[in-house]
Amino acid sequence: MRVLEIGRHRRVGAWTLVPIELTVIGSSPIETSSYLYASKSPHAVVLVRDDGAHLVLDTEGREIPLAGLLAEMPGLKEELSRLRPATTRRARESGQGNM
């Protein structure tokens, strides 16, 4: 089983970082028993600027399309929508507008 999950947000300057974590769980039968394994690792980070702009980077720093993550993670769109009002308000208050 492979699951992408939203990690805990971090605020850095004018950006909110939304980590995307990959959890893998599996098992294999071995003669009279079973082998169970699990791992959790970073998968990507969604950067949300105060003006609402998004950038998605994989673990090697390459830009990847947000649409792919949204298709795999239905809850991500809602989470990013929740962030937008707060980040837009901060941009207005600091006088940044669109960058």
Side-chain angles (χ1 to χ4, degrees):
M1 177 173 71
R2 179 182 180 274
V3 178
L4 291 175
E5 299 174 300
I6 300 168
R8 199 166 132 191
H9 306 168
R10 304 281 191 275
R11 181 91 180 132
V12 179
W15 295 89
T16 299
L17 283 63
V18 181
I20 306 299
E21 303 166 341
L22 172 64
T23 301
V24 178
I25 301 171
S27 64
S28 299
I30 303 174
E31 296 179 20
T32 60
S33 62
S34 291
Y35 173 69
L36 177 65
Y37 58 91
S39 69
K40 188 168 200 160
S41 60
H43 179 72
V45 64
V46 180
L47 298 127
V48 183
R49 200 167 54 189
D50 276 350
D51 64 4
H54 297 86
L55 175 66
V56 184
L57 302 174
D58 67 10
T59 56
E60 294 180 9
R62 295 179 300 225
E63 188 171 354
I64 58 176
L66 178 60
L69 277 179
L70 292 174
E72 278 190 85
M73 304 178 67
L76 181 58
K77 184 174 184 175
E78 182 182 328
E79 188 68 27
L80 294 177
S81 294
R82 255 196 311 253
L83 284 175
R84 180 133 192 192
T87 56
T88 303
R89 185 180 62 250
R90 280 193 294 268
R92 268 197 319 268
E93 289 169 356
S94 68
Q96 289 175 350
N98 290 336
M99 294 182 188

